[in-house]
């Protein structure tokens, strides 16, 4: 299944043209890393003035499966990566057939863009994960409650993110109506996991099969959306090592080239279960921009270009807090207030013009010798963004 060819390993040196499919903040930060290193970096994007489009050296407008747009991309870029997993496998295969370096390759995306295929992959490679059943027909609903117990979670196999397309089902008699609410599409039914923490590990794997990982990050979600990450996760050296080994195992089994993130549940009895695989940089790795020797986006560039990967040591423990559109509810956040509150705060805004509840508009990172203090400082800086708003409302 490996994307690694044992034969020629082309190295793309600056100023080669690199393209990313997808217009969001992950594409933007990939482009920024690539441009810093001297590459001609551009985007295939369906929208004008997107987060990635705003910073791209060049843009091709179109949907990721639009053949005319793919032709233009192939004419423009020597190597192509993606910023999200829902790019069609045929599109990536077509680009690879045009002689382009396409990393990650279509097989990695094909597995990770569908929860059923992802679970089958984990099962095949005996990588620990939550108990699950596939749901494709009414008949599949029958044994779910006995097999998985309650609560269980029904998740659509395709196109779910940030908790969308999933329903927690408390009782056997509610399984059918939950499946109906999800549109009776192919689903994964998962047993409920009593977790003590959610952690993630970002891996970078090169074209030569060499792979490196960052320390695990501890993730806190609010309303199913990532709220904060602390790195290194305070889970102790043994769990940290196990998580890194499992994540490396996932990358190796997929044979992926590029950056890959593995999200885990750490159960109350100390086991690690893989929850999700993202074949790309991840929100929980954004703090590597300031906190690590090499950022996850620079690793994406290096892996794409066949360069040796960079060191993953942390310069300092760090915390990242997301800035969701909710912060704009009473007007523009007060950026100066955050900087006044803490001179160490690093602000990243993605250039999105319309804030909406739950929409990721940016993030802030704080480095501190103590990871918990980093998180407290990042949260305090985020509160400062709207503390004037609240005072304004009170008068
Ligand atoms: P996912 O989209 O699969 O990452 O799920 C979003 C969030 O829902 C996770 O980060 C967990 O907080 C929660 N969740 C998902 N699956 C389970 C499960 N099997 N047991 C407990 N919580 C879950």
């Amino acid at each position: 299944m490996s994307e690694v060819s044992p034969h020629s390993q082309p190295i793309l040196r600056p100023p080669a043209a690199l393209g990313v499919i997808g217009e969001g903040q992950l594409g933007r930060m990939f482009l920024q890393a690539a441009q810093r290193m001297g590459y001609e970096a551009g985007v295939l994007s369906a929208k004008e003035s997107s987060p990635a489009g705003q910073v791209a050296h060049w843009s091709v407008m179109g949907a990721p499966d639009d053949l005319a747009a793919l032709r233009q991309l192939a004419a423009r870029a020597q190597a192509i990566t993606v910023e999200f997993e829902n790019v069609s496998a045929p599109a990536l295969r077509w680009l690879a057939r045009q002689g382009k370096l396409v990393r990650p390759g279509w097989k990695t995306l094909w597995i990770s863009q569908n929860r059923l295929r992802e679970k089958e992959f984990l099962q095949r490679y005996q990588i620990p994960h939550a108990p699950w059943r596939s749901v494709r027909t009414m008949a599949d609903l029958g044994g779910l409650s006995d097999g998985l117990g309650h609560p269980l979670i029904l998740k659509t196999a395709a196109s779910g993110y940030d908790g969308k397309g999933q329903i927690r089902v408390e009782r056997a008699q509610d399984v059918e109506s939950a499946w109906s609410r999800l549109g009776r599409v192919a689903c994964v039914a998962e047993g409920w996991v009593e977790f003590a923490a959610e952690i993630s590990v970002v891996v970078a794997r090169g074209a030569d099969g060499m792979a490196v990982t960052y320390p695990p990050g501890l993730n806190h979600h609010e309303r199913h959306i990532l709220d904060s990450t602390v790195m290194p996760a305070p889970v102790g050296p043994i769990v940290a090592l196990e998580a890194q080994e499992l994540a490396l195992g996932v990358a190796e089994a997929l044979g992926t080239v590029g950056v890959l993130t593995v999200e885990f549940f750490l159960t109350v009895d100390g086991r690690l279960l893989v929850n999700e695989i993202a074949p790309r940089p991840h929100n929980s790795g954004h703090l590597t921009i300031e906190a690590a020797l090499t950022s996850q986006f620079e690793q994406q560039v290096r892996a794409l270009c066949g360069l040796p990967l960079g060191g993953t040591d942390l310069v300092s423990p760090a915390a990242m807090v997301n800035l969701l559109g909710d912060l704009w509810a009473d007007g523009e956040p007060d950026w100066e207030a955050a900087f006044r509150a803490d001179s160490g705060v690093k602000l990243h805004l993605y250039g999105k013009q319309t804030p909406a509840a739950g929409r990721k508009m940016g993030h802030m990172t704080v480095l501190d010798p103590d990871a918990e203090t980093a998180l407290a400082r990042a949260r305090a800086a985020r509160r400062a963004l709207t503390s004037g708003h609240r005072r304004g409302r009170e008068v």
Side-chain angles (χ1 to χ4, degrees), residues 115 118-119 130-131 151-153 155 160-164 166 168 189-195 198 219 221 223-225 263-265 275-276:
R115 289 186 195 272
E118 194 171 275
K119 292 281 196 254
L152 59 82
I153 304 197
K155 303 179 177 181
Y161 68 97
D162 286 348
K164 294 189 176 68
Q166 35 180 287
R168 178 178 146 138
E190 241 179 71
W192 186 255
V193 177
E194 287 298 337
F195 59 80
E198 292 185 89
N219 299 327
H221 295 84
R223 292 174 292 146
H224 292 290
I225 303 171
E263 293 181 70
F264 297 93
F265 297 127
N275 174 31
E276 268 199 311

Side-chain angles (χ1 to χ4, degrees), residues 156-341:
T156 57
S159 64
Y161 68 97
D162 286 348
K164 294 189 176 68
Q166 35 180 287
I167 297 179
R168 178 178 146 138
V169 188
E170 304 292 338
R171 306 174 308 172
Q173 58 265 45
D174 298 332
V175 171
E176 196 186 328
S177 66
W179 193 46
S180 294
R181 275 163 57 204
L182 292 173
R184 296 187 171 237
V185 294
C187 282
V188 167
E190 241 179 71
W192 186 255
V193 177
E194 287 298 337
F195 59 80
E198 292 185 89
I199 65 173
S200 54
V201 173
V202 178
V203 180
R205 187 165 184 271
D208 56 1
M210 295 288 285
V212 293
T213 74
Y214 295 91
L218 174 69
N219 299 327
H220 172 71
H221 295 84
E222 294 275 345
R223 292 174 292 146
H224 292 290
I225 303 171
L226 186 68
D227 178 68
S228 65
T229 299
V230 172
M231 196 182 285
V235 290
I238 298 170
V239 171
L241 182 67
E242 195 185 336
Q244 287 174 299
E245 283 174 349
L246 284 169
L248 286 168
V250 169
E252 179 72 34
L254 282 169
T256 195
V257 178
V259 171
L260 175 129
T261 308
V262 182
E263 293 181 70
F264 297 93
F265 297 127
L266 176 59
T267 65
V268 287
D269 56 357
R271 286 172 304 133
L272 283 167
L273 303 176
V274 171
N275 174 31
E276 268 199 311
I277 302 168
R280 52 169 171 77
H282 192 260
N283 197 168
S284 61
H286 289 357
L287 47 67
T288 60
I289 293 175
E290 288 92 1
L293 285 182
T294 315
S295 79
Q296 61 172 351
F297 300 103
E298 181 173 338
Q299 303 284 27
Q300 189 181 14
V301 176
R302 289 185 185 223
L304 179 61
C305 295
L307 295 170
L309 300 171
T312 51
D313 290 347
L314 294 187
V315 184
S316 161
M320 184 263 351
V321 290
N322 268 336
L323 306 178
L324 300 185
D326 311 59
L327 291 168
W328 276 249
D330 291 322
E332 187 75 10
D334 184 352
W335 308 117
E336 302 92 284
F339 295 139
R340 267 197 305 276

